[in-house]
Amino acid sequence: MNSNHSLLQNLKSFLVLILIPSIAFLLNHADRNRISSRVSYESFLHTTAGQLMKECRTKGLSRPDLPEQAALQEYFMTLDPSLGRVPSERLMNAFHKLNEKQLKSTAYQLQWLGKSVVMGGRTRAIMWDPNDATGKKVWAGSVTGGLWYNPDITSEISLWQPVSDMWPNMVISCITSDPNNPSTFYVGTGESQTALITYRESSGRGVGIWKTINGGQSFSLLASTADFAYITKLIVRNENGNSVVYAGVVSGTYKGSIWQSQPSDGLFRSADGGASWQQVLPDITNESVPYAPADVQLGADGRIFVGTVANIEGKGGGTILFSDLGTPGSWTEYTDIRTIIENDPLNSQPYRVVLAPAPSSQNIIYAAISSGTLSPTTNPVYKGYYLVKSSDKGVTWQQINTPDGGGDWANLAWHAMDIAVDPNTPSTVYAGGLDMYRTTNSGTSWELLSDWSLMYYGGGDNYLHADQHVIAYKPGSSSEMLFGTDGGVFYSNNGNAVKPVFSQKNKNFNTLQFYTCAMHPGAGTEKYLGGLQDNGTLLYKGTPLSINDMVTGGDGAYCFWDQDESNLTITSYYYNRYTIFNNGFQAGYVDAYSGTFISPADYHHSRNTLYANAVDLWGGNANTILRVANIPTSGYSFINTGTSTTAYYSAVKVSPYSTAGNTRIFLGTVSGRLFKLENAQASPLSTEIGSPDFPPANISCIEIGGSEDTLLVTFSNYGVSSIWQTCNGGTDWREVEGDLPDMPVRWVIYHPQNPNQAMIATELGVWTTSSLQKEIVYWQPQINGMANVRVDMLNLRKSDLTVLAASHGRGLFTTTFSYDVTTGVNQQLATSWNVYSDGGKHSLIIQNPVSSKPFSVCIYTLSGIKMFETEIPELTNGYNLEMTPSMRGAFVVEINQNGVRKYSGKVLLW
């Protein structure tokens, strides 16, 4: 036996000598592979940024929005690292899973309350309802907020109503009705304009065409159009009593992915109500693919006109086609202006064409044509350089003057350019780009009618929000008009006056696109800040949000409300420009031009110091954060983190457990590295605490629980494990994504009373779990009162458990993050505990014959509101806990010992 034992020991020693170095080698090799993968990913990000956005910072910042500059940052946040693109097709699978979970009953449900508005977001689709005898009902489509209707657009009190909160796609691009069956509408999805130029996440890819046959009471998605990625325009033409639908369809880029509409770009014709389709346009000159339609219009006599746009290969733009039959082989092409553009030494790229036939003359039609430059290393710049008019139904065309004598009237013509002709006067034309212009003499002269900059001064009679997308005369009227802009819907009832008056019509048109939010610290106080796309930073004070609530302009970025000094607030806009307010008055300003477009930041309330990412998309200012100290006096500096990475910091979190002499912050990078910084108020010392198993992806949020040992980290990319937790400060990490579908996760918060409970902001609303510590983590959607909408940020006020959610398409929402007392209810976690009610004495009897240790008792309503809490020093032969007479009804009793829940059960007090 001793010999065998000796042999066994020798064998063990041999295995130790051989296996441990081998295992160590394998582990080190695996670690090196992970590190190499992360470094390669960072290099990919920098290279991509350099190729696509080289000149983004040299484009001037006078505009209220910069639609191309937020795009690339969003692309990096959401792409699948293994694919190098964003597989947004997976979002439909996530939507189906959300629906499945919504149908299953669950005891724990949150109810969201939206914050009212009288301002809106980007709107490309408008239609006067053909079924309304009063001529007052209108429809409007937002590119992130879905389809809406207003029963009376002329009324000051009439509210917009959303058609649905649960459509799987909220990107509405166009709408039309059937002239033979006015109760039949067709609604197109997918915003092509931005998809052909930028990775514009605030819009996106479509899912085809929605149809209603009952005037909008219900809609169904046409299965035959599921592969129509971007619908640019829809018309329905009466062809010998038959309603024939025409859909302009193009391909585009969404979050870095090329989406090729199937079977191709082109004008698709359906004579059976959308059941089947035929592509009818000819191929682009010298190409083997059809033209891509930017606009489709019907002349007064039914002739179909098509204005093209350059496709994803840059081909076929600047062309006008027409047909009386709408069938293959029946089209006439006008390419003269395209040829002129191609021979221009400066702006040789023909691009987008929009059309405006005169309703009162079958001969007259106008067209606005954009052109510009195309470079493989910079963003294209397209402007409205050409306006043309035909007086013979499109056979010949003559150039007319542009509103400003050049192209700056529509200096983002790929994004914002539209024209419309007075229904009764063919010589009167409206043209909108940045602002709105009008000619009453067919373009001989133009007058400027609007001023977008008035948004910063409360508006006025000639205020229209910047970026004009659609102009809709009321059928037959020269005076009543609607305008779709980046700031929602506007109306005029005297559009033919010398000085038309424009009024905002956005009451409850809650299509605002928020990036960030912050809350007043006072329990029950309804004061919130929110930074949003194109509309600055707004202050909500309990009344509907309007342009008068704009605190600062630009695209609103991170904002903060001091939790110790509620008189102090901070707002910012792109690239780390911060404004500090004291009691509502500006007390400081920091122009620390650095970082990313929406640069992650956090605020140390007790030290009045702000920390923000200072690294740019290209790796410039590597290992650097911005520190703004002594707020509101606001001295700032850039400090080195010592983290040895060229990636920018995609998440910044100040520890609430920092001490007076040691501010600790956590930094996450776009490539998935996580660092803890000590002594951030002076000279930081960094330690990497992330897991080698973290994906090379964008860390979107870092949340701290009951101590710095307990952390939750989220990732916002597709195709990765999205949620990770450590309970020992980063020594070990566990993936807690559980059954969450594959979609971006943008923010996370712990429940302050329950370490098992968390809430996340996702591409499809808000989700919660109460099983973080369980072997299997289950997530439940919580979108009652909200919508199927992307949510960017969550802000928790611990004093009353209010959560503020910043949605990117439906505005701000609040809810009470109640304690989920349903988990484990009626399941005694320690069988020796017995809790019951003594109704006669209105008290609780608590018994446990095997334990006399101190314990705590908490009593909650069934909705999770804590009503009572006490500490019991010892338990001897049972404990009689007398309750106040006001506590009557069903409650949940929870018993804890040493921070561990021992019992949870329902009890009835009477």
Side-chain angles (χ1 to χ4, degrees), residues 512-763:
L512 298 178
Q513 302 165 326
F514 281 90
Y515 294 120
T516 62
C517 60
M519 247 189 306
H520 187 286
T525 304
E526 273 206 297
K527 289 185 178 180
Y528 315 120
L529 284 170
L532 66 164
Q533 187 269 330
D534 203 4
N535 283 289
T537 299
L538 302 180
L539 172 61
Y540 180 81
K541 305 183 292 291
T543 55
L545 284 170
S546 72
I547 60 171
N548 295 315
D549 296 311
M550 184 180 296
V551 181
T552 47
D555 279 55
Y558 277 66
C559 53
F560 303 96
W561 207 307
D562 195 299
Q563 301 299 291
D564 302 319
E565 304 170 76
S566 62
N567 55 299
L568 290 180
T569 55
I570 303 170
T571 69
S572 68
Y573 66 101
Y574 34 76
Y575 296 119
N576 283 332
R577 281 77 169 259
Y578 295 91
T579 304
I580 296 94
F581 295 89
N582 191 349
N583 288 315
F585 297 95
Q586 183 172 331
Y589 176 72
V590 172
D591 188 350
Y593 189 82
S594 58
T596 52
F597 186 78
I598 303 297
S599 217
D602 201 10
Y603 180 62
H604 192 326
H605 300 275
S606 61
R607 293 186 66 92
N608 290 45
T609 301
L610 182 143
Y611 297 89
N613 164 64
V615 186
D616 64 27
L617 294 173
W618 304 269
N621 298 326
N623 304 299
T624 303
I625 57 175
L626 169 70
R627 182 173 62 205
V628 183
N630 303 315
I631 289 173
T633 55
S634 311
Y636 77 92
S637 59
F638 294 103
I639 58 176
N640 192 292
T641 62
T643 53
S644 301
T645 174
T646 59
Y648 65 83
Y649 301 115
S650 53
V652 179
K653 179 68 174 182
V654 174
S655 171
Y657 305 105
S658 298
T659 60
N662 183 7
T663 298
R664 295 182 293 278
I665 65 175
F666 294 84
L667 301 174
T669 74
V670 68
S671 60
R673 299 180 70 180
L674 178 66
F675 301 92
K676 181 178 181 178
L677 265 64
E678 303 273 354
N679 204 40
Q681 82 286 352
S683 300
L685 299 173
S686 66
T687 304
E688 188 162 4
I689 63 169
S691 170
D693 295 326
F694 280 3
N698 183 84
I699 294 179
S700 53
C701 186
I702 304 163
E703 170 69 331
I704 305 173
S707 73
E708 290 176 3
D709 285 339
T710 306
L711 304 173
L712 271 173
V713 173
T714 60
F715 292 81
S716 59
N717 298 78
Y718 283 97
V720 303
S721 297
S722 300
I723 311 173
W724 295 75
Q725 181 174 241
T726 181
C727 296
N728 53 20
T731 302
D732 300 295
W733 288 90
R734 175 181 174 234
E735 191 226 301
V736 291
E737 184 179 57
D739 65 341
L740 193 72
D742 184 10
M743 61 180 172
V745 177
R746 298 174 179 272
W747 209 263
V748 62
I749 55 175
Y750 273 115
H751 193 286
Q753 299 168 355
N754 187 355
N756 286 308
Q757 195 174 341
M759 178 186 290
I760 55 174
T762 78
E763 207 78 355

Side-chain angles (χ1 to χ4, degrees), residues 266-323:
L267 182 65
F268 286 80
R269 179 179 187 271
S270 176
D272 53 14
S276 61
W277 299 84
Q278 178 188 26
Q279 202 292 114
V280 297
L281 287 185
D283 287 346
I284 300 169
T285 307
N286 299 322
E287 300 291 330
S288 58
V289 294
Y291 283 99
D295 196 11
V296 186
Q297 297 285 345
L298 282 177
D301 64 347
R303 173 169 282 185
I304 304 173
F305 293 91
V306 173
T308 70
V309 65
N311 64 17
I312 54 177
E313 301 297 330
K315 307 290 186 180
T319 303
I320 301 171
L321 303 98
F322 68 82
S323 170

Side-chain angles (χ1 to χ4, degrees), residues 788-803:
N788 169 32
V789 65
R790 162 184 153 190
V791 178
D792 279 27
M793 183 178 284
L794 302 168
N795 190 270
L796 171 68
R797 183 165 60 198
K798 292 184 179 181
S799 59
D800 59 2
L801 299 184
T802 295
V803 174

Side-chain angles (χ1 to χ4, degrees), residues 331-594:
W331 294 88
T332 300
E333 300 177 46
Y334 173 74
T335 60
D336 289 3
I337 295 296
R338 187 177 83 187
T339 301
I340 291 173
I341 294 170
E342 289 171 340
N343 291 321
D344 189 305
L346 296 178
N347 298 293
S348 60
Q349 178 67 18
Y351 199 65
R352 181 180 173 213
V353 180
V354 295
L355 303 163
S360 60
S361 172
Q362 64 182 20
N363 293 314
I364 295 176
I365 181 171
Y366 297 84
I369 305 174
S370 62
S371 65
T373 61
L374 185 64
S375 166
T377 58
T378 64
N379 287 321
V381 178
Y382 297 118
K383 297 184 179 183
Y385 285 116
Y386 300 89
L387 276 173
V388 294
K389 175 188 176 184
S390 174
S391 299
D392 54 10
K393 297 174 61 174
V395 177
T396 61
W397 297 80
Q398 299 78 42
Q399 289 193 54
I400 60 175
N401 295 325
T402 58
D404 61 354
D408 282 338
W409 71 277
N411 60 4
L412 289 180
W414 57 268
H415 170 63
M417 181 175 71
D418 197 36
I419 55 175
V421 183
D422 186 309
N424 304 299
T425 309
S427 59
T428 296
V429 182
Y430 268 74
L434 176 62
D435 273 313
M436 189 61 66
Y437 296 80
R438 182 182 61 187
T439 178
T440 56
N441 50 28
S442 298
T444 301
S445 61
W446 293 85
E447 55 187 326
L448 176 63
L449 300 178
S450 70
D451 181 358
W452 68 263
S453 67
L454 291 174
M455 69 182 294
Y456 297 122
Y457 306 99
D461 287 349
N462 61 330
Y463 167 59
L464 283 176
H465 196 285
D467 295 351
Q468 313 298 317
H469 303 301
V470 57
I471 307 166
Y473 274 100
K474 183 177 179 179
S477 173
S478 296
S479 56
E480 285 194 79
M481 305 177 69
L482 292 171
F483 307 87
T485 75
D486 262 18
V489 179
F490 288 73
Y491 168 77
S492 177
N493 62 5
N494 65 343
N496 55 350
V498 174
K499 294 293 183 182
V501 174
F502 306 109
S503 59
Q504 298 182 68
K505 291 294 182 177
N506 294 312
K507 199 174 185 66
N508 200 47
F509 191 54
N510 201 344
T511 53
L512 298 178
Q513 302 165 326
F514 281 90
Y515 294 120
T516 62
C517 60
M519 247 189 306
H520 187 286
T525 304
E526 273 206 297
K527 289 185 178 180
Y528 315 120
L529 284 170
L532 66 164
Q533 187 269 330
D534 203 4
N535 283 289
T537 299
L538 302 180
L539 172 61
Y540 180 81
K541 305 183 292 291
T543 55
L545 284 170
S546 72
I547 60 171
N548 295 315
D549 296 311
M550 184 180 296
V551 181
T552 47
D555 279 55
Y558 277 66
C559 53
F560 303 96
W561 207 307
D562 195 299
Q563 301 299 291
D564 302 319
E565 304 170 76
S566 62
N567 55 299
L568 290 180
T569 55
I570 303 170
T571 69
S572 68
Y573 66 101
Y574 34 76
Y575 296 119
N576 283 332
R577 281 77 169 259
Y578 295 91
T579 304
I580 296 94
F581 295 89
N582 191 349
N583 288 315
F585 297 95
Q586 183 172 331
Y589 176 72
V590 172
D591 188 350
Y593 189 82
S594 58

